[in-house]
Amino acid sequence: MNTLPQISEAEFEVMKIVWKYAPVSTNEITEKLLQTTTWSPKTIQTLIKRLVTKGALTYEKRSRMFIYTPVVKEDEYISQESSSFLNRYYDGDITAMVSAYIENDKLSKSELDTLRTLLSQRQEKGGK
């Protein structure tokens, strides 16, 4: 996998909108983010421009509107960030990470049930 661009937490909020609604206009991105943040439209436009500069978004101009689509795939980005987090904080040991979450009561019963199901399905497939 190629190294994907570094995306700040604020830029990630923009990316979530683009991943969900692409192709999406500047106005649509702004409208959706104004519902969930306290950012000004100018701030949102700056974040969009940064994402274009970083190569995470591309755009097409349609008459007077800019329409954005992601260059970076959501699943690839999340996979990269998860691996980075795991390596940075748990030396790549997922067991240590899950243990820390369980020991600190960070997982709900529903999340634990989901993990059990995923592990069971993986085992049935003959996982590593």
Side-chain angles (χ1 to χ4, degrees):
M1 168 171 43
N2 295 334
T3 302
L4 302 175
Q6 289 292 317
I7 296 173
S8 71
E9 287 185 40
E11 292 165 346
F12 184 68
E13 292 303 313
V14 175
M15 288 301 297
K16 288 193 298 189
I17 299 296
V18 177
W19 283 321
K20 186 170 184 177
Y21 299 102
V24 61
S25 71
T26 308
N27 289 343
E28 290 169 315
I29 296 169
T30 302
E31 177 184 306
K32 294 193 182 311
L33 286 170
L34 288 175
Q35 294 171 14
T36 59
T37 69
T38 57
W39 301 336
S40 72
K42 185 80 173 153
T43 298
I44 295 167
Q45 289 174 0
T46 298
L47 292 169
I48 293 168
K49 286 177 190 171
R50 285 185 194 162
L51 288 164
V52 169
T53 301
K54 290 180 178 186
L57 292 180
T58 188
Y59 67 90
E60 173 185 332
K61 190 169 182 184
R62 293 187 193 159
S63 85
R64 297 180 66 195
M65 289 193 333
F66 288 89
I67 307 297
Y68 295 90
T69 55
V71 174
V72 173
K73 292 182 181 162
E74 183 177 18
D75 59 344
E76 287 179 4
Y77 182 75
I78 290 174
S79 176
Q80 174 181 284
E81 287 301 299
S82 297
S83 294
S84 175
F85 175 83
L86 187 61
N87 288 329
R88 184 178 307 131
Y89 296 105
Y90 297 97
D91 294 325
D93 184 354
I94 194 161
T95 304
M97 183 188 78
V98 173
S99 293
Y101 275 78
I102 291 170
E103 290 170 15
N104 294 307
D105 292 325
K106 298 289 185 191
L107 297 175
S108 68
K109 181 184 180 328
S110 172
E111 290 168 326
L112 287 168
D113 290 343
T114 300
L115 279 173
R116 281 188 198 96
T117 301
L118 291 170
L119 290 169
S120 177
Q121 289 171 348
R122 181 70 176 153
Q123 191 172 20
E124 289 171 9
K125 287 183 181 178
K128 297 178 187 179

